[in-house]
Amino acid sequence: GLWLSFRDYDGKVLLYFTTLMSYRPIIKEVRYSLNNAALDKTFRFKPSEKMYEVGDEVYLAVPGDSQFATVQVTFKDGTVSAPQKVMRVKGN
């Protein structure tokens, strides 16, 4: 499955990290980028042994011209995932 998902909401474009955060107990770092494969941004999350906690921010508002996101995960055991490209599908 895809780790990220785009959603158009109330005139904004949101990028959800919900699926990734279900793996949060074993994740060390999440890097991502928009419209390129630079992976130059870091998604900040609170380290926790639990998957979800009330008040967790699991999405970001992103620019309206975002076409796709690239995401890569570093796990606590030191392994690094292959980059995953997630396309934005208009109107979902």
Side-chain angles (χ1 to χ4, degrees), residues 1-68:
L2 295 176
W3 285 343
L4 306 183
S5 58
F6 285 94
R7 184 175 169 215
D8 293 337
Y9 178 75
D10 199 24
K12 293 196 280 284
V13 181
L14 305 179
L15 181 60
Y16 277 82
F17 290 75
T18 316
T19 302
L20 259 189
M21 286 298 96
S22 67
Y23 298 98
R24 176 164 66 172
I26 62 169
I27 289 177
K28 180 180 175 186
E29 185 181 50
V30 177
R31 299 186 69 80
Y32 73 100
S33 52
L34 297 165
N35 294 342
N36 61 55
L39 296 165
D40 56 353
K41 297 175 172 57
T42 302
F43 177 68
R44 305 259 172 230
F45 61 94
K46 191 174 64 185
S48 175
E49 294 308 309
K50 287 186 274 202
M51 295 193 329
Y52 294 109
E53 292 182 352
V54 176
D56 283 341
E57 290 291 329
V58 294
Y59 65 88
L60 299 168
V62 297
D65 64 355
S66 299
Q67 301 300 310
F68 68 91

Side-chain angles (χ1 to χ4, degrees), residues 68-80:
F68 68 91
T70 309
V71 60
Q72 186 174 53
V73 177
T74 301
F75 295 97
K76 286 182 178 174
D77 67 1
T79 58
V80 180

